[in-house]
Amino acid sequence: MSGFVTVDGIKVPIEGEKNLLTLIQKAGIDIPTFCYHSHLSTYGACRLCLVEINGKEIDASCVVPPKDGMVVKTTTPKIRSMRRMNLELILANHKQDCPVCERSETCRLRDLSAKMGIREVRFKPTKAERPKDEGSVALVRDPNKCILCGDCVRFCSEIQAVGAIDFAYRGGDAVVSPAFGRSIGEVGCVKCGQCAAVCPTGAIVPRSHTDRVWAELDNPKKIVAAQIAPAVRVAIGEQFGLSANESELGKIGAALRRLCFEQVY
């Protein structure tokens, strides 16, 4: 489809975008969202990417295909108010332990709350606290931090083709969980960690073995060796803002030696 969509007064050409959200982002306009990923199916659950269409209709931009002649506004007072309300409702049932949360520095929920200027939550929680799932050697799952965006569910099913987690129950009782309420360590999870990678909060995080590693490094009777997966040689550079195409094997080895690993493979 060709043509133009007018977004906040800017004429943006339609160049095969499947929804308004990607077209708006192409124009350099920031739209908040939790549940949209370009490689996954469209879900439209978080209701943060709301826009006004043709002066009357308000809808989630991730589920509306662009059409020639559309006039879209992204920052009207009504839209801003609705986004704040939706975010406050999410925060109301979210565990408030940000200073000690594993995702405190990279939490999408915390980032959007700051951008929208939310300083207090006016609503009371409606859900009872659920126990943390620590039954996996690779992952820790805290349902009290889950915002039901469905990113982990869709990635596990659509990309990894595993389906170890899914939505359970309905309405206010809805929760993301392995089958029959079991631990994620008791189902068909392959421990790939992709659910933790796409989770915008700390609901699913990699299990940390840092304390155990330090204990082994401090043990004079142990010879501690490190083994590096091939992809890490390049991927770690991206984490520290280095070139995405260069191997950092020498720097990794030097850093591990400084940490007192005696052998590095």
Side-chain angles (χ1 to χ4, degrees), residues 11 23-24 34 57 63 72-74 85 96 121-122 126 149 152 167-168 170 185 212 224 249 251:
K11 292 188 71 174
L23 184 138
I24 293 168
F34 281 124
E57 178 186 356
V63 299
V72 176
K73 293 183 179 180
T74 67
M85 177 75 74
Q96 305 291 324
V121 179
R122 294 169 291 172
T126 59
C149 67
C152 59
F167 287 101
R170 297 180 178 181
R212 179 182 173 187
V224 186
L249 189 58
K251 295 177 181 178

Side-chain angles (χ1 to χ4, degrees), residues 48 116 146 167 204:
L48 291 182
M116 293 189 190
C146 179
F167 287 101
I204 302 181

Side-chain angles (χ1 to χ4, degrees), residues 5-9 24 31 49-55 57-59 70-76 79 83:
V5 174
T6 303
V7 183
D8 294 340
I24 293 168
I31 294 287
C49 66
L50 296 172
V51 294
E52 181 186 279
I53 303 171
N54 297 331
E57 178 186 356
I58 292 180
D59 205 343
M70 272 185 172
V71 178
V72 176
K73 293 183 179 180
T74 67
T75 57
T76 67
I79 289 173
R83 285 177 183 161

Side-chain angles (χ1 to χ4, degrees), residues 182-239:
R182 291 184 293 180
S183 167
I184 198 168
E186 299 174 330
V187 295
C189 173
V190 297
K191 304 174 182 62
C192 67
Q194 295 301 326
C195 56
V198 297
C199 179
T201 66
I204 302 181
V205 296
R207 177 181 285 279
S208 174
H209 297 282
T210 304
D211 291 340
R212 179 182 173 187
V213 172
W214 278 120
E216 299 292 358
L217 288 172
D218 292 335
N219 186 346
K221 298 181 180 180
K222 288 286 184 72
I223 295 176
V224 186
Q227 182 173 346
I228 306 163
V232 173
R233 294 174 295 177
V234 174
I236 197 169
E238 298 180 34
Q239 182 70 24

Side-chain angles (χ1 to χ4, degrees), residues 15 77 123 131 148 153 158 173 180 245:
E15 298 173 317
F123 309 108
L148 300 177
V153 172
E158 297 173 13
D173 295 324
F180 307 110
N245 299 316

